[in-house]
Amino acid sequence: MTQTDLPAAFGFLASAHTGGGSIPAAVFATRGRHTRLSERLRTLSVDAVLVHPDAGPSGAHASDADTLVLFAGEIYNRDEIDDTLDSPANASDAERVSGLFEKYDLHAFRLINGRYAALLVTGTRVLAATDHAGSVPLYVRPDPGHVLAATEVKGLAAAGAAVRGAPVAGARRVRRTPGVHQVPAGAVLDIRVDTGEATVHRTWVPPVHRLLTGENEALNNVRAALERAVVRRLPDGGRPLVVLSGGIDSSAVAALSASVATAGMDTLSMGTDVADEFPQARVVAEHLASRHREFTVDTRDLLALLPHTVYAAESLDPAVIEYLLPLTALYRRIDGPPRRILTGYGADIPLGGMHREDRLPNLDTVVAFDMDTFDGLNEMSPVLSTVAGHWSTHPYWDREVLELLTVLEAGLKRRYGRDKWVLRAAMSDLLPAETVARPKLGVHEGSGTTASFSLLIRQAGAAEDDVAAVKARVVQELFDLTVVGGVDPDEVVIEEIIGKIVAEGRR
């Protein structure tokens, strides 16, 4: 099963209420058309704004007399769901969610492998659900008689102050947005609209057990699972577009895409005037005969996009912002019509790719920690690409692939002195030997992003020991200005922000 080029909806802002609750102004970084929706159910009224591609959002909502589903994103195990529900061939993802809910109640979300945020209103309940990775962020503000929900927190920040209320156990408050919580990854927040009380139900948790598997079985399983994930994400009849660095992660996605794409494949790489990985990416592009493009961004222009990256990702983690900054620049440079984009992002987390030592207990400790703490960082947020109208998707964080890679024992991840050995060996027949053997390099390293950001801070007068702390303050300030304060990222001068923070640190 392949996908249509773009989902029916990228995101939504919604209000479910018992009386005269209002919906705030629709504020999205996501680029797309806005469609308003108002429905009166038996018990509750729902007002919403869907942000969507030009094709229209009809597949992003479904309703009957007592239940309404809003769905942003896409489902990857449609065939299995359709077999379970005996769904018609033209069923939408929102209709699939509605059918699963009718049969399984909130446990329906345990059955979905996808990249999505969903809001289901039924009776006096609102169910706010995220996929297993929380890859489409979802935020809620529950008040008695009125629940607001949005896929971008800036929409709820624009709604103004609310009664702060009690914390929702198991959900994080969002900085400087009173009463707003982020729905955890792999969870359903079950909210009683009459009281505003909310309960978190987990629908997925990272596996903590490990499997001892023979080499050949592990290689076959990894290859098969990743291939299924890639195929499920390919555009229906179109040319795949893959972000390619020339490392094993993105090269594996490109190779599997090329092996099944009948219309050819496009690849693209990004570098800066400081650093790039163009030669390594060209080796793979030539090997796969892809139509390849390279973008070079001046580092000053790249760092000027820091406010845009924070505004899109809504993340407060400076390391994550550094990872995402080059991707923000890349997505904004892709011209032409909106595209479905596949990436190699995220493989390092379940495979421990950034941990380069042979002590296996330490390696598995890192994997366990990273899998336990990824939630809320918004690394996979589609808004990074939907700001330019594109839809990004990450095969390594397909639920089946993620579970498989996580449970493999550490000796398959670090073997024969090689990091991510199981992935490298599984792809060895599809890629050049130099690509399979190439050492790991993060996108922030290969583009010079980290070094350039650090240099800008030192040039403002910060001591070397203070650089990390200044980065954290800069990201926090950008979040407060753009996400909470509503300042246009184009109006933020990053050098001024850094200079102010460094000066304050001297006092």
Side-chain angles (χ1 to χ4, degrees):
M1 179 198 70
T2 55
Q3 297 282 345
T4 55
D5 281 349
L6 300 171
F10 293 146
F12 56 76
L13 171 67
S15 167
H17 47 90
T18 55
S22 62
I23 188 170
V27 181
F28 297 104
T30 294
R31 190 181 83 191
R33 293 182 179 271
H34 292 187
T35 295
R36 296 189 70 89
L37 177 72
S38 294
E39 292 211 21
R40 172 69 180 174
L41 306 178
R42 286 197 183 98
T43 308
L44 299 173
S45 295
V46 181
D47 298 289
V49 176
L50 293 161
V51 56
H52 58 88
D54 287 343
S58 59
H61 60 90
S63 63
D64 56 29
D66 194 46
T67 301
L68 169 70
V69 175
L70 300 178
F71 190 87
E74 58 194 11
I75 293 174
Y76 299 126
N77 62 334
R78 290 171 176 165
D79 293 342
E80 294 89 338
I81 292 173
D82 290 348
D83 287 343
T84 297
L85 298 177
D86 195 23
S87 300
N90 61 348
S92 70
D93 283 348
E95 290 169 335
R96 290 182 175 95
V97 172
S98 183
L100 286 173
F101 175 76
E102 184 178 354
K103 190 172 184 178
Y104 296 101
D105 201 80
L106 61 80
H107 303 284
F109 296 101
R110 295 191 169 103
L111 303 172
I112 301 173
N113 178 8
R115 173 163 168 72
Y116 68 88
L119 196 75
L120 191 148
V121 183
T122 183
T124 60
R125 301 162 68 196
V126 169
L127 303 182
T130 59
D131 64 55
H132 62 284
S135 70
V136 180
L138 183 59
Y139 306 90
V140 297
R141 195 180 81 181
D143 295 313
H146 187 199
V147 174
L148 289 173
T151 51
E152 296 183 40
V153 75
K154 56 185 71 69
L156 303 186
V163 177
R164 192 168 185 83
V168 176
R172 293 174 301 279
R173 287 194 184 275
V174 179
R175 174 181 169 83
R176 296 197 172 178
T177 53
V180 176
H181 294 78
Q182 184 169 6
V183 180
V188 178
L189 199 59
D190 191 350
I191 306 169
R192 287 186 54 186
V193 180
D194 53 348
T195 65
E197 296 175 357
T199 305
V200 173
H201 299 269
R202 303 300 308 200
T203 57
W204 185 84
V205 293
V208 296
H209 70 285
R210 301 292 182 261
L211 295 178
L212 292 168
T213 306
E215 286 187 0
N216 289 338
E217 182 181 357
L219 299 184
N220 291 336
N221 289 344
V222 168
R223 174 72 165 264
L226 186 57
E227 184 173 31
R228 282 195 301 271
V230 167
V231 169
R232 285 170 163 174
R233 286 161 172 77
L234 294 179
D236 187 10
R239 294 175 64 92
L241 175 59
V242 181
V243 176
L244 181 63
S245 69
I248 185 60
D249 303 342
S250 61
S251 298
V253 171
L256 291 171
S257 299
S259 68
V260 296
T262 58
M265 181 179 67
D266 299 329
T267 52
L268 65 153
S269 302
M270 196 216 79
T272 69
D273 54 325
V274 171
D276 63 61
E277 300 174 88
F278 291 159
Q280 295 85 354
R282 283 179 210 141
V283 168
V284 180
E286 292 172 4
H287 180 79
L288 299 177
S290 69
R291 186 169 61 191
H292 186 65
R293 289 188 291 169
E294 299 171 348
F295 297 134
T296 300
V297 180
D298 184 87
T299 50
R300 293 188 68 85
D301 294 336
L302 179 67
L303 294 172
L305 291 176
L306 277 166
H308 294 268
T309 305
V310 174
Y311 184 66
E314 299 180 333
S315 176
L316 285 160
D317 189 297
V320 168
I321 295 301
E322 286 187 355
Y323 302 155
L324 300 181
L325 180 56
L327 293 175
T328 302
L330 180 60
Y331 293 140
R332 290 164 64 96
R333 294 290 293 271
I334 300 173
D335 52 9
R339 296 290 301 271
R340 168 177 291 274
I341 304 169
L342 280 72
T343 84
Y345 198 86
D348 282 327
I349 297 176
L351 288 173
M354 299 299 291
H355 190 67
R356 300 158 187 162
E357 65 167 80
D358 290 320
R359 287 172 286 187
L360 300 186
N362 289 355
L363 174 58
D364 199 63
T365 296
V366 169
V367 172
F369 177 81
D370 287 348
M371 289 300 303
D372 197 42
T373 57
F374 72 84
D375 190 18
L377 299 180
N378 292 1
E379 284 192 68
M380 308 292 169
S381 174
V383 184
L384 274 298
S385 56
T386 58
V387 293
H390 307 295
W391 178 255
S392 57
T393 178
H394 317 293
Y396 289 103
W397 276 65
D398 181 274
R399 190 177 66 181
E400 294 176 7
V401 175
L402 188 62
E403 289 174 343
L404 172 62
L405 296 182
T406 302
V407 301
L408 292 176
E409 55 95 5
L412 289 167
K413 299 172 184 181
R414 182 75 183 184
R415 203 172 189 89
Y416 307 121
R418 303 300 308 277
D419 65 285
K420 292 192 285 193
W421 175 84
V422 67
L423 176 62
R424 296 178 187 277
M427 300 303 303
S428 60
D429 64 321
L430 291 183
L431 292 168
E434 63 187 278
T435 302
V436 173
R438 184 188 172 202
K440 168 66 187 177
L441 194 65
V443 62
H444 58 300
E445 299 169 314
S447 63
T449 300
T450 296
S452 298
F453 191 10
S454 299
L455 177 61
L456 190 62
I457 291 172
R458 289 196 300 270
Q459 288 174 339
E464 184 65 39
D465 291 345
D466 296 331
V467 168
V470 172
K471 286 182 178 180
R473 286 285 314 281
V474 167
V475 171
Q476 190 177 85
E477 180 76 6
L478 293 175
F479 184 92
D480 292 347
L481 284 171
T482 64
V483 176
V484 179
V487 176
D488 189 323
D490 282 330
E491 297 177 4
V492 179
V493 180
I494 190 63
E495 290 85 356
E496 292 180 359
I497 298 295
I498 293 173
K500 182 187 79 169
I501 289 172
V502 171
E504 290 173 350
R506 293 183 186 138
R507 295 172 190 164

